[in-house]
Structure formats: C-alpha cells, structure tokens
Amino acid sequence: ILGGENGAATAAFVVLGLQEIEMGGASVISSAAKEKIRPELQEQGNANAQFWGEAVLRVLNNIMPNQWVRVGMRQMSGLLTLVFARQELKNFVGEVETGAVACGAMGVGGNKGASAVRFGIHRNYICVLSSHFKAHQYEIQGRNENYRQISRKLTFKSRANRLFDEAAEDDVDSPDPYFEPVVGHALKDADVVLWMGDFNYRLDLPYYNALSLIGENNISKLLEFDQCLKQVRSGEIFADMDEAPITFPPTYKFDKGIHDRMAYDSSEKQRIPSWTDRIFFRGRGNPQHGDLSRFTTVESLAYESLPDVVDSDHKPVRSLLRIDLPIVNEEKYRIAACHTLGVFNSEPSTWVQDTALEFGIGENAVVYLQNTGGQPCTFALVLRGEEALTGWISVNPTAGVIPPGMQQAISLSVPSTSSLDVVSREINIFLDIFSMSQYAPGGSPQRMKKRFHPVQITFNPTKNGTGATLDAGRQYDESELIFF
C-alpha cells in the first residue's frame, strides 16, 4: 500500500493476512488459553507465525536489501496479521496496538474471527485485519454475524514501547507492558481500515453452471450470484467500505498441486467455485464535509488473484492501494503552538488600584481589581491575620470572573455594632487577592496561571478613612491560604 504500480519495490507498507496457517483442535485450545492468560504471546506468534514473519521479511529485503522492518504481528490460532514498513518510515510509525476477536467453536475458537494490527503514522491511524468467517454454502447469516461481532468487539492493547525492538520481542517472560484496552469503536475511530480474509461467501448457482461461466470468463454474470455483494448492497456487512472491481475468476475451491485455472474441486462434494477471498478498505470523511485535516482517501491501483499458487485450495488475492493521508507540517505546527502558548501562557494581566487600606468601625472601603489583559480571568479572596479582626470584616464578592478590559469592585466593611470597639490598638491583617487565567484548552487547575495581589489592611479604632502603604515584597505560598 501507499506505493506505485511496481508493487513492493515502491511501496511504503506491506500488509499480509493469512488464514489456516495451522489447523486442528490443539491449535484452537492453545490459542484460547493464550488469549485469556498471556495475550502478549500472540504478538510473538508460535513457530508457524514466526516462520511466515521471517520469510516475508526476507523476501522483502531480497527485493530491497535492508530497507524493510516489521511493524507488528498478531496471531490467533490459524489467523495471522503482519505489517511491514520501509526503514525510512521507522521514525514516523508508532502507537502499535494489536487485538483479536474469536468467533469459532463455543464463541472462543480462534479458527474463525479476526486478528488485527493498528498503528499510527503522521498522526493518522491505520487498522489492518485478517479474518476467517463461518464456512458452508448456506451460512450467510452466520458470516454476517461474524462481521458484526468483530466490528462490535474489536479493541486494542498497546505495546508501542516495544516497537521495532527485536530483543524485547524475544523476551516473552518480561512483565506485561500493556496499557488498558482502548475502549470504544476501534474500527470507527481508525482513519484507514484494511480488512482482508477468507470471508467464505459463496456463489448461489449450481456447480456446473459456475464452471461454464468461468470457462466463458463471464465475470459480470457470475457476480450477480455472489452472496457477498448482495450482503454489502443490503447494508448487512462492510458498511462504508469499498472493494475494487473484481476482474479475476473465483479463488475457491481448487484441487491442490494442479496448474490449471479450471482445476476447481473435482471431489464428490464439488464445492461451488466462489470469491471467498476478498480485500475491503476505507478512508475517512468527505472533503466537502468536515475537517479537511482528517480527510483520508484509499484508491485501488490493482486487485488480482495469483493463479500460479497451487499449494492451497485457495488462490491468494492481492491489492495495491494508494492512501493519501494528511501530514502535519511540524515546523508550522510548532510556530502555531508557540503563538497559542504566547497568548495563553502569560500571567493574568490584573491590577489592584489600592494596595493598602486603613479604616475603623462602621467604615466601608473599596478595592478595584482590573483585568487589563485579553483573556477572562477568575479571582478569589483570602483574609489572613488575627481572628479577632478577620471574623468581623465583611468582604463582597469573595470570588468571580472579570471579562477582558473590565474591573471588579471589592467592598470591605466592619459593622458599627461589632465587639471591635473594645480593641484599643492597631491591628494589621492582609487581604490576598489572587487572579487566574487559562493558558491551555480545558479547565483543570493544572492549566491555570495565577497572580497574587497582597493588600494590607490596618484597623485603627481611633481613625476613620483610608491610607496607602504597600507590602509589595511579600510572597505567598498557596498552602498558607484559607478560603472563605
């Protein structure tokens, strides 16, 4: 994918989905146990999975020496998903996650279901799935249910810290580095989805009729009987996904070892030739609707089967895809981020008109807090000093929000009927005003900048009026503050 018309020689990624790399009850039981107890082992794969991973990587590097690395692997019984990337993209690929959904025997058998690898590149997320759906001619609803179950249940666990770390991949006895599963619609959240597999949908026509149409190379007529296309068009499966036009003969079921394009099942069962092996894909969004920065497209450049492969009763299918992803210009992004932080990261632009007050019983005083900045700011007040005085001073308001360019009057008073008339000496207390402004999106305390304005208050029982002195050198720690 992401390559030109010369395949792997110009591709950026190679993804591979395999089914039935191993079969039998022992494989299903072993895989189910791993999924339950040690799912990280499924990322290493057993001997069969490792054979395929190493063989494909070796072939790729034979084409272009030392140019390919493995991004991720996920096995579940006979299912295997492999993702490879060009070495030059290594620093741009990350957040590799894997997952699987079992749909086989008793709902836990890994012989049917999906294994998947999800990875990020340039802040876009690509999800690759390999699936094997329920078999047999008339099990259409069973196959549809496999699709729904995988779409609903597939979640991922992250081992991004082990990306491209071959030593760590071999260290399966180390503590499990998984994060919690990503909860939600894993497929829906991906920017690109590539879903390949043996989906087992068949042709609804007699065996010999199918052979006759294949002999005539009448692909369009054969497709009229394709179960998969009917289910897609009815909206039952692969919603919002595409498949390139099919121009090759059915890929199932062949007699093994025979180099003849008409060597379909000659056994007494005479299974009807079908396109069981398919590749579906989708991007995200529409350029005419929504955010263009999240718009991705997937275009098929080639879609074909490989008729010369005779080791299986299926003919492999391959697709060459061009994927256009939005890529952030990191330099411009940093400039924009610095500009944003320059707006939000400064301290609140607030100013107190009077930084000291002196008054007596029955008097009122007003302090004006002005917001001279371009962002709204919140404020709160704290009285600090001798309780004999702070318990009688009335302050209003004690908290609020000041819009840009506005001011807030803060009123202080001591009732004339208070018991402070028995106080015959001057008492100093402090009104601490602190203002806050947001410096990043969100409203948590960690995202607020604060500024303190200390105002000295002197209570003089023999004097009415206000004075002005400034305690500008005093610095306050938040732990000293007691809120009203």
Side-chain angles (χ1 to χ4, degrees):
I1 66 173
L2 297 173
E5 297 184 356
N6 296 320
T10 55
F13 291 91
V14 169
V15 300
L16 187 68
L18 297 171
Q19 303 81 41
E20 295 185 340
I21 65 169
E22 59 186 36
M23 301 175 66
S27 172
V28 173
I29 293 172
S30 173
S31 179
K34 291 177 183 177
E35 291 290 337
K36 187 69 175 178
I37 302 172
R38 293 288 302 278
E40 68 272 19
L41 294 176
Q42 300 285 54
E43 291 186 343
Q44 316 307 320
N46 61 15
N48 289 328
Q50 291 171 14
F51 164 81
W52 279 101
E54 293 168 1
V56 174
L57 185 60
R58 184 166 57 250
V59 170
L60 290 173
N61 281 321
N62 284 339
I63 298 172
M64 298 189 69
N66 302 317
Q67 291 298 308
W68 291 91
V69 293
R70 193 178 80 197
V71 173
M73 169 195 288
R74 188 56 155 90
Q75 182 184 15
M76 182 179 69
S77 189
L79 287 166
L80 181 64
T81 304
L82 292 164
V83 178
F84 303 90
R86 291 279 287 271
Q87 182 76 244
E88 64 197 57
L89 295 175
K90 179 176 178 178
N91 293 334
F92 303 103
V93 176
E95 299 179 80
V96 180
E97 303 167 327
T98 72
V101 177
C103 303
M106 301 179 66
V108 296
N111 57 317
K112 297 294 187 292
S115 66
V117 175
R118 181 179 184 268
F119 63 96
I121 175 171
H122 292 297
R123 305 176 186 234
N124 301 278
Y125 296 95
I126 298 176
C127 182
V128 182
L129 297 85
S130 172
S131 278
H132 196 184
F133 285 4
K134 195 166 187 176
H136 306 304
Q137 181 76 23
Y138 301 105
E139 287 286 359
I140 299 174
Q141 292 308 314
R143 290 187 273 276
N144 291 355
E145 179 56 30
N146 289 164
Y147 166 80
R148 288 190 290 267
Q149 187 175 352
I150 294 166
S151 299
R152 184 175 64 251
K153 292 186 177 181
L154 182 62
T155 57
F156 293 95
K157 288 186 175 182
S158 175
R159 298 217 308 160
N161 57 322
R162 293 191 170 197
L163 178 62
F164 307 117
D165 188 347
E166 296 179 0
E169 288 183 356
D170 294 334
D171 184 15
V172 297
D173 293 324
S174 62
D176 183 8
Y178 271 64
F179 299 115
E180 289 299 313
V182 177
V183 178
H185 304 285
L187 295 183
K188 181 180 178 180
D189 295 338
D191 296 294
V192 174
V193 175
L194 308 177
W195 197 339
M196 66 196 97
D198 175 4
F199 299 114
N200 259 321
Y201 288 96
R202 311 299 173 90
L203 295 180
D204 285 328
L205 78 169
Y207 174 78
Y208 286 106
N209 290 19
L211 288 182
S212 177
L213 291 173
I214 293 170
E216 299 170 5
N217 199 32
N218 195 341
I219 302 299
S220 60
K221 187 65 177 179
L222 281 165
L223 287 171
E224 294 178 9
F225 302 95
D226 179 49
Q227 294 176 350
C228 187
L229 284 181
K230 291 178 182 178
Q231 297 305 304
V232 169
R233 290 166 180 166
S234 67
E236 293 292 329
I237 58 173
F238 299 111
D240 301 321
M241 299 191 74
D242 296 314
E243 180 185 25
I246 294 176
T247 59
F248 48 87
T251 57
Y252 171 87
K253 175 179 176 38
F254 285 85
D255 294 331
K256 295 181 181 180
I258 300 177
H259 289 275
D260 182 350
R261 75 181 191 94
M262 294 298 294
Y264 289 95
D265 186 14
S266 61
S267 71
E268 59 181 15
K269 292 184 178 181
Q270 291 187 334
R271 294 175 180 86
I272 299 170
S274 301
W275 285 285
T276 58
D277 311 285
R278 318 285 275 259
I279 300 174
F280 290 86
F281 54 85
R282 73 154 175 82
R284 177 188 289 281
N286 186 309
Q288 298 178 354
H289 303 92
D291 183 5
L292 285 177
S293 68
R294 304 310 303 163
F295 175 61
T296 60
T297 61
V298 185
E299 176 189 3
S300 175
L301 303 178
Y303 191 33
E304 59 189 2
S305 66
L306 303 176
D308 293 334
V309 176
V310 297
D311 298 309
S312 169
D313 56 357
H314 292 253
K315 300 299 183 186
V317 172
R318 67 182 177 187
S319 179
L320 185 63
L321 302 174
R322 176 185 175 86
I323 300 178
D324 290 321
L325 302 172
I327 298 178
V328 174
N329 185 312
E330 296 295 339
E331 182 177 357
K332 291 183 177 180
Y333 178 83
R334 284 192 293 268
I335 292 173
C338 290
H339 173 74
T340 301
L341 290 174
V343 172
F344 287 102
N345 201 37
S346 59
E347 289 188 347
S349 297
T350 51
W351 177 67
V352 173
Q353 181 175 344
D354 295 305
T355 57
L357 298 171
E358 184 178 3
F359 63 98
I361 296 175
E363 288 190 319
N364 295 320
V366 177
V367 175
Y368 290 95
L369 179 63
Q370 296 181 328
N371 181 4
T372 59
Q375 301 294 325
C377 74
T378 60
F379 71 93
L381 311 176
V382 174
L383 276 178
R384 190 166 49 83
E386 295 191 26
E387 293 185 4
L389 183 60
T390 58
W392 288 99
I393 293 181
S394 174
V395 182
N396 184 53
T398 58
V401 178
I402 308 175
M406 304 297 289
Q407 67 179 8
Q408 174 68 53
I410 301 169
S411 175
L412 300 94
S413 63
V414 178
S416 59
T417 58
S418 73
S419 62
L420 287 175
D421 56 2
V422 301
V423 178
S424 60
R425 61 183 176 85
E426 288 189 358
I427 300 176
N428 292 324
I429 63 173
F430 291 92
L431 172 65
D432 292 335
I433 306 173
F434 63 99
S435 57
M436 300 175 290
S437 64
Q438 183 178 330
Y439 70 89
S444 66
Q446 292 79 8
R447 296 178 180 270
M448 307 298 287
K449 280 284 188 178
K450 301 177 183 179
R451 184 175 184 180
F452 288 83
H453 299 281
V455 177
Q456 180 177 296
I457 300 174
T458 301
F459 174 72
N460 188 341
T462 63
K463 178 178 172 47
N464 294 328
T466 63
T469 58
L470 174 62
D471 186 16
R474 174 71 164 120
Q475 298 294 326
Y476 302 101
D477 187 274
E478 287 185 53
S479 62
E480 299 180 51
L481 303 180
I482 305 173
F483 290 86
F484 271 76

